[in-house]
Short mmCIF file of all heavy atoms in Angstrom, two decimals:
data_model
loop_
_atom_site.label_atom_id
_atom_site.label_comp_id
_atom_site.label_asym_id
_atom_site.label_seq_id
_atom_site.Cartn_x
_atom_site.Cartn_y
_atom_site.Cartn_z
N ALA A 1 186.05 102.39 116.92
CA ALA A 1 184.78 102.98 117.18
C ALA A 1 184.37 104.17 116.21
O ALA A 1 185.27 104.94 115.78
CB ALA A 1 184.69 103.47 118.54
N GLU A 2 183.02 104.30 115.94
CA GLU A 2 182.62 105.36 115.05
C GLU A 2 181.87 106.39 115.85
O GLU A 2 181.26 107.35 115.32
CB GLU A 2 181.61 104.88 113.98
CG GLU A 2 182.39 103.93 113.02
CD GLU A 2 181.60 103.41 111.84
OE1 GLU A 2 180.50 103.85 111.78
OE2 GLU A 2 182.23 102.63 111.01
N VAL A 3 181.93 106.32 117.17
CA VAL A 3 181.37 107.28 118.15
C VAL A 3 182.55 107.69 119.15
O VAL A 3 183.45 106.89 119.39
CB VAL A 3 180.14 106.83 118.81
CG1 VAL A 3 179.10 106.49 117.75
CG2 VAL A 3 180.32 105.71 119.59
N PRO A 4 182.48 108.80 119.94
CA PRO A 4 183.39 108.90 120.99
C PRO A 4 183.46 107.86 122.02
O PRO A 4 182.35 107.45 122.38
CB PRO A 4 183.02 110.45 121.50
CG PRO A 4 182.18 110.92 120.37
CD PRO A 4 181.52 109.87 119.68
N ILE A 5 184.70 107.64 122.36
CA ILE A 5 184.97 106.69 123.53
C ILE A 5 185.47 107.49 124.66
O ILE A 5 186.48 108.20 124.55
CB ILE A 5 185.95 105.58 123.08
CG1 ILE A 5 185.42 104.70 121.99
CG2 ILE A 5 186.26 104.79 124.37
CD1 ILE A 5 184.32 103.88 122.24
N ILE A 6 184.86 107.31 125.91
CA ILE A 6 185.41 107.80 127.04
C ILE A 6 186.11 106.60 127.99
O ILE A 6 185.26 105.65 128.30
CB ILE A 6 184.36 108.54 127.91
CG1 ILE A 6 183.72 109.66 127.09
CG2 ILE A 6 184.90 109.01 129.18
CD1 ILE A 6 182.52 110.31 127.67
N ASN A 7 187.21 106.77 128.41
CA ASN A 7 187.82 105.83 129.27
C ASN A 7 187.47 105.99 130.65
O ASN A 7 187.61 106.94 131.29
CB ASN A 7 189.39 105.87 129.33
CG ASN A 7 190.08 105.02 130.14
OD1 ASN A 7 189.53 104.16 130.81
ND2 ASN A 7 191.40 105.12 130.15
N ALA A 8 186.58 105.00 131.21
CA ALA A 8 186.08 105.15 132.55
C ALA A 8 186.98 104.27 133.53
O ALA A 8 186.43 104.00 134.65
CB ALA A 8 184.67 104.72 132.58
N GLY A 9 188.09 104.08 133.14
CA GLY A 9 189.03 103.26 133.98
C GLY A 9 189.62 102.10 133.22
O GLY A 9 188.77 101.30 132.85
N ASP A 10 191.00 102.02 133.07
CA ASP A 10 191.51 100.80 132.45
C ASP A 10 192.65 100.24 133.39
O ASP A 10 193.82 100.79 133.29
CB ASP A 10 191.94 101.17 131.04
CG ASP A 10 193.06 102.11 130.91
OD1 ASP A 10 193.06 102.98 131.84
OD2 ASP A 10 193.84 101.97 129.93
N GLY A 11 192.29 99.21 134.14
CA GLY A 11 193.27 98.53 135.01
C GLY A 11 193.92 99.57 135.85
O GLY A 11 193.28 100.39 136.63
N GLY A 12 195.25 99.49 136.10
CA GLY A 12 195.95 100.54 137.04
C GLY A 12 196.56 101.63 136.19
O GLY A 12 197.31 102.40 136.61
N HIS A 13 195.90 101.96 134.92
CA HIS A 13 196.47 102.83 134.03
C HIS A 13 196.04 104.24 134.14
O HIS A 13 196.58 105.07 134.81
CB HIS A 13 196.35 102.38 132.71
CG HIS A 13 197.15 103.03 131.60
ND1 HIS A 13 196.68 103.26 130.31
CD2 HIS A 13 198.38 103.63 131.73
CE1 HIS A 13 197.67 104.02 129.60
NE2 HIS A 13 198.56 104.08 130.44
N ASN A 14 194.80 104.59 133.72
CA ASN A 14 194.16 105.95 133.73
C ASN A 14 192.78 105.92 134.15
O ASN A 14 192.02 104.89 134.04
CB ASN A 14 194.43 106.60 132.42
CG ASN A 14 195.62 107.28 132.09
OD1 ASN A 14 196.23 107.94 132.90
ND2 ASN A 14 196.21 106.85 131.03
N HIS A 15 192.31 107.12 134.67
CA HIS A 15 190.83 107.21 134.97
C HIS A 15 190.57 108.72 134.79
O HIS A 15 190.47 109.41 135.72
CB HIS A 15 190.61 106.81 136.36
CG HIS A 15 189.11 106.70 136.78
ND1 HIS A 15 188.12 107.03 135.86
CD2 HIS A 15 188.66 106.00 137.82
CE1 HIS A 15 187.00 106.73 136.40
NE2 HIS A 15 187.21 106.15 137.67
N PRO A 16 190.62 109.11 133.55
CA PRO A 16 190.50 110.64 133.19
C PRO A 16 189.29 111.29 133.72
O PRO A 16 189.36 112.47 134.15
CB PRO A 16 190.67 110.68 131.69
CG PRO A 16 190.22 109.36 131.20
CD PRO A 16 190.65 108.38 132.27
N THR A 17 188.19 110.73 133.78
CA THR A 17 187.00 111.40 134.24
C THR A 17 186.98 111.53 135.76
O THR A 17 186.36 112.49 136.28
CB THR A 17 185.63 110.74 133.80
OG1 THR A 17 185.51 109.36 134.35
CG2 THR A 17 185.62 110.71 132.30
N GLN A 18 187.61 110.63 136.48
CA GLN A 18 187.78 110.89 137.99
C GLN A 18 188.80 112.05 138.11
O GLN A 18 188.53 112.88 138.97
CB GLN A 18 188.48 109.68 138.65
CG GLN A 18 188.70 109.83 140.12
CD GLN A 18 187.38 109.96 140.81
OE1 GLN A 18 186.44 109.34 140.59
NE2 GLN A 18 187.40 111.15 141.73
N THR A 19 189.72 112.21 137.25
CA THR A 19 190.57 113.38 137.35
C THR A 19 189.75 114.65 137.03
O THR A 19 190.04 115.64 137.80
CB THR A 19 191.69 113.20 136.29
OG1 THR A 19 192.37 112.06 136.55
CG2 THR A 19 192.71 114.43 136.28
N LEU A 20 188.83 114.70 136.03
CA LEU A 20 188.15 115.85 135.91
C LEU A 20 187.30 116.17 137.11
O LEU A 20 187.04 117.39 137.48
CB LEU A 20 187.16 115.66 134.65
CG LEU A 20 187.86 115.51 133.28
CD1 LEU A 20 186.85 115.31 132.20
CD2 LEU A 20 188.60 116.90 132.90
N THR A 21 186.71 115.20 137.71
CA THR A 21 186.00 115.27 138.98
C THR A 21 186.84 115.99 139.97
O THR A 21 186.51 116.82 140.79
CB THR A 21 185.55 113.94 139.41
OG1 THR A 21 184.69 113.36 138.53
CG2 THR A 21 184.82 114.03 140.88
N ASP A 22 188.16 115.43 140.26
CA ASP A 22 189.07 116.03 141.22
C ASP A 22 189.34 117.42 140.94
O ASP A 22 189.29 118.27 141.90
CB ASP A 22 190.25 115.19 141.28
CG ASP A 22 190.15 113.67 141.47
OD1 ASP A 22 189.14 113.41 142.09
OD2 ASP A 22 190.95 112.88 141.11
N LEU A 23 189.71 117.84 139.59
CA LEU A 23 189.98 119.20 139.33
C LEU A 23 188.83 120.07 139.59
O LEU A 23 189.00 121.25 139.96
CB LEU A 23 190.33 119.24 137.84
CG LEU A 23 191.70 118.58 137.48
CD1 LEU A 23 191.86 118.66 136.00
CD2 LEU A 23 192.88 118.95 138.26
N LEU A 24 187.57 119.67 139.15
CA LEU A 24 186.38 120.55 139.47
C LEU A 24 186.23 120.76 140.92
O LEU A 24 185.93 121.85 141.38
CB LEU A 24 185.17 119.81 138.86
CG LEU A 24 183.89 120.74 138.99
CD1 LEU A 24 183.96 122.10 138.26
CD2 LEU A 24 182.69 120.04 138.43
N THR A 25 186.29 119.63 141.68
CA THR A 25 186.30 119.70 143.17
C THR A 25 187.21 120.84 143.72
O THR A 25 187.01 121.66 144.55
CB THR A 25 186.45 118.39 143.82
OG1 THR A 25 185.53 117.46 143.32
CG2 THR A 25 186.27 118.47 145.35
N ILE A 26 188.46 120.68 143.27
CA ILE A 26 189.54 121.58 143.69
C ILE A 26 189.27 123.15 143.41
O ILE A 26 189.33 123.92 144.13
CB ILE A 26 190.97 121.22 143.14
CG1 ILE A 26 191.47 119.84 143.74
CG2 ILE A 26 192.00 122.17 143.53
CD1 ILE A 26 192.54 119.16 143.05
N VAL A 27 188.80 123.21 142.01
CA VAL A 27 188.80 124.68 141.67
C VAL A 27 187.41 125.22 142.26
O VAL A 27 187.47 126.55 142.57
CB VAL A 27 188.72 124.76 140.14
CG1 VAL A 27 187.48 124.17 139.50
CG2 VAL A 27 189.07 126.15 139.56
N GLU A 28 186.46 124.39 142.46
CA GLU A 28 185.13 125.05 143.05
C GLU A 28 185.36 125.28 144.52
O GLU A 28 184.97 126.21 145.11
CB GLU A 28 184.11 123.92 142.91
CG GLU A 28 183.62 123.87 141.51
CD GLU A 28 182.69 125.20 141.12
OE1 GLU A 28 181.92 125.60 141.83
OE2 GLU A 28 182.94 125.67 139.94
N GLU A 29 186.28 124.43 145.24
CA GLU A 29 186.47 124.60 146.62
C GLU A 29 187.56 125.43 147.02
O GLU A 29 187.49 126.18 148.06
CB GLU A 29 186.58 123.09 147.26
CG GLU A 29 185.37 122.35 147.08
CD GLU A 29 184.12 122.80 147.83
OE1 GLU A 29 184.25 123.43 148.90
OE2 GLU A 29 183.03 122.61 147.42
N LYS A 30 188.69 125.41 146.32
CA LYS A 30 189.78 126.30 146.58
C LYS A 30 189.98 127.50 145.68
O LYS A 30 190.70 128.50 145.95
CB LYS A 30 191.16 125.32 146.31
CG LYS A 30 191.18 124.13 147.27
CD LYS A 30 191.36 124.45 148.71
CE LYS A 30 192.79 124.82 149.00
NZ LYS A 30 192.95 124.97 150.52
N GLY A 31 189.19 127.55 144.62
CA GLY A 31 189.21 128.71 143.66
C GLY A 31 190.27 128.86 142.84
O GLY A 31 190.48 129.81 142.16
N LYS A 32 191.21 127.82 142.82
CA LYS A 32 192.30 127.82 141.82
C LYS A 32 192.85 126.41 141.68
O LYS A 32 192.41 125.39 142.38
CB LYS A 32 193.38 128.63 142.48
CG LYS A 32 194.02 128.20 143.87
CD LYS A 32 194.98 129.17 144.35
CE LYS A 32 195.61 128.51 145.65
NZ LYS A 32 196.84 129.33 146.17
N LEU A 33 193.71 126.25 140.71
CA LEU A 33 194.51 124.94 140.52
C LEU A 33 196.04 125.14 140.46
O LEU A 33 196.91 124.25 140.33
CB LEU A 33 194.12 124.41 139.06
CG LEU A 33 192.76 123.88 139.11
CD1 LEU A 33 192.22 123.56 137.64
CD2 LEU A 33 192.52 122.52 139.95
N ASP A 34 196.57 126.46 140.73
CA ASP A 34 197.88 126.77 140.76
C ASP A 34 198.40 126.82 142.35
O ASP A 34 197.55 127.03 143.21
CB ASP A 34 198.26 128.00 140.11
CG ASP A 34 197.89 128.07 138.67
OD1 ASP A 34 198.15 127.03 137.89
OD2 ASP A 34 197.28 129.04 138.07
#
């Protein structure tokens, strides 16, 4: 590709933007990630 590619889910492997969603939810609701 000549433009940025975002993996929106590949089989049973990875789903990085869901992970970003999870992390944002945690930090907004719990105030931390540690």
